[in-house]
Amino acid sequence: PILTIFDFQELELLMCGLPEIDLDDWRDNTEYAGEFDRVGSNHDTVLWFWEVVEEFDHEMRARLLQFVTGTSGVPARGFAVLQGNDGNVRKFTVHGVDAGEFVYPRAHTCFNRIDLPLYRTKADLKQKLELAVTMVATGFDIE
């Protein structure tokens, strides 16, 4: 059948459409952990992350959200009530990790968390993030 040419993520985007993602709400309701714990949103890597997200078109933003949370849908009441797979509120979390641990961002969809390596440049972050988000859609994982 025709639906077999789509993976589950593409099918969700086709059936539900691209969500309107309020970047200010997303940013305001994000927590920072790991290497970003002390500095939070003021860390260079975090600043680059949000700049890259702003540069993304609607589809790439939806795919990023899908990569980290397992769905491209935004709760009706916004990111403040984003739930984990256990039904409890689990805010979107950007968790900083040393770039030596792994090269590409990793997602923990149960916890709405992205492990983001400390990249040396914004261009490197953008390249690795785009690749991670698009490769997961094909069913491949990056190590």
Side-chain angles (χ1 to χ4, degrees):
I2 187 103
L3 293 181
T4 59
I5 62 172
F6 301 109
D7 64 44
F8 73 95
Q9 292 169 322
E10 291 170 323
L11 193 56
E12 179 189 21
L13 291 173
L14 284 171
M15 304 249 338
C16 301
L18 290 174
E20 276 298 316
I21 298 175
D22 181 341
L23 284 180
D24 291 329
D25 181 44
W26 193 355
R27 195 174 304 139
D28 291 344
N29 288 289
T30 294
E31 294 179 348
Y32 302 94
E35 296 290 328
F36 306 139
D37 199 24
R38 290 188 313 264
V39 188
S41 61
N42 294 319
H43 194 284
D44 284 343
T45 304
V46 173
L47 294 170
W48 294 335
F49 172 79
W50 288 115
E51 288 173 13
V52 167
V53 174
E54 285 178 17
E55 294 168 9
F56 280 169
D57 61 18
H58 289 299
E59 181 182 356
M60 277 301 288
R61 288 179 190 167
R63 286 187 178 274
L64 172 62
L65 185 59
Q66 204 171 43
F67 173 69
V68 180
T69 67
T71 181
S72 63
V74 179
R77 296 182 315 187
F79 283 94
V81 295
L82 187 65
Q83 294 180 339
N85 71 341
D86 60 0
N88 292 319
V89 172
R90 293 203 184 265
K91 294 210 174 187
F92 187 90
T93 302
V94 181
H95 183 261
V97 295
D98 187 274
E101 286 186 50
F102 41 85
V103 178
Y104 296 94
R106 289 188 179 180
H108 302 274
T109 56
C110 295
F111 306 107
N112 299 329
R113 186 180 99 195
I114 184 170
D115 289 344
L116 193 63
L118 303 177
Y119 295 108
R120 293 181 188 263
T121 67
K122 177 182 166 184
D124 197 26
L125 183 150
K126 183 175 182 176
Q127 177 198 25
K128 300 292 193 299
L129 184 61
E130 285 177 341
L131 189 59
V133 169
T134 55
M135 288 301 287
V136 166
T138 65
F140 292 100
D141 192 14
I142 301 173
E143 288 294 325

